[in-house]
Amino acid sequence: FLPVVADKAGKANIITVAWAGTICTNPPMLSISVRPERYSYHMIEETGEFVVNLTTKELVRACDYCGVTSGRDVDKFKEMELTPLKLDTVSVPGIAESPVNIACRVVEKKELGSHTMFLAEVCGVTVDDAHMDESGRFHINETGLVMYSHGEYFLLGEKLGKFGYSIQKK
């Protein structure tokens, strides 16, 4: 994932996190885990907000770059030619080039060892209209989402089944 964080002064930074996921449906919640020594850690603590931006094939280079450079040294939005997207529900911007921006507010922090997990409630979601059909359905599987596994990036796309297919009658 490509979260954006910001400090109280409004300085935004894009980070890359591999340790993230959905943790609850109602209320909608997710988590990200960040090492305390990272530049962005204090930003999350200051504002209690972050925006998770889904990573696509077009954003994979920026995702890698934002994971191997520090916001102490560079403006990652500028270097990767990304557009900050103002959101209504948090002070932290999203990334306009991402098909989905998930605005979050931290509700709990768990120090787990090498990483601290920030449990957050989803307070807003922005979806790119280009991936919506006439009926208002979002086609997430057509956005070119990318996943990270063991140091490598993979394009998602091959459908293997659907929920409950293992017990469906033929």
Side-chain angles (χ1 to χ4, degrees):
F1 291 119
L2 269 176
V4 175
V5 300
D7 61 20
K8 285 186 178 180
K11 181 179 180 189
N13 187 43
I14 306 169
I15 64 175
T16 301
V17 297
W19 306 114
T22 304
I23 57 173
C24 190
T25 302
N26 192 13
M29 295 180 73
L30 58 80
S31 70
I32 63 171
S33 295
V34 180
R35 289 180 181 265
E37 63 270 16
R38 297 291 187 222
Y39 174 67
S40 297
Y41 185 88
H42 83 278
M43 296 177 162
I44 299 170
E45 285 195 316
E46 278 185 26
T47 64
E49 297 177 341
F50 58 87
V51 177
V52 171
N53 304 277
L54 297 190
T55 306
T56 61
K57 182 178 179 180
E58 291 76 24
L59 289 171
V60 74
R61 185 172 188 282
C63 183
D64 186 68
Y65 179 86
C66 291
V68 297
T69 59
S70 175
R72 285 183 189 99
D73 307 320
V74 297
D75 177 339
K76 296 177 190 178
F77 274 102
K78 181 180 175 188
E79 292 299 315
M80 290 289 97
E81 299 178 353
L82 297 173
T83 311
L85 177 68
K86 182 169 176 24
L87 302 174
D88 294 333
T89 55
V90 293
S91 61
V92 176
I95 298 173
E97 290 78 8
S98 176
V100 178
N101 318 102
I102 306 168
C104 301
R105 280 201 194 93
V106 175
V107 295
E108 189 176 341
K109 173 176 112 171
K110 290 189 165 289
E111 295 174 7
L112 301 172
S114 65
H115 289 70
T116 297
M117 181 188 298
F118 293 95
L119 306 172
E121 191 164 355
V122 173
C123 56
V125 177
T126 302
V127 175
D128 185 342
D129 289 340
H131 302 289
M132 302 292 287
D133 67 19
E134 325 60 62
S135 68
R137 183 169 180 220
F138 176 50
H139 293 273
I140 193 169
N141 295 327
E142 297 171 10
T143 62
L145 292 179
V146 170
M147 71 165 281
Y148 177 82
S149 176
H150 301 286
E152 298 177 309
Y153 302 96
F154 294 91
L155 182 64
L156 299 177
E158 183 182 352
K159 181 179 175 182
L160 302 176
K162 65 178 183 175
F163 182 75
Y165 83 98
S166 64
I167 59 169
Q168 280 184 323
K169 293 183 181 181
K170 298 190 187 239

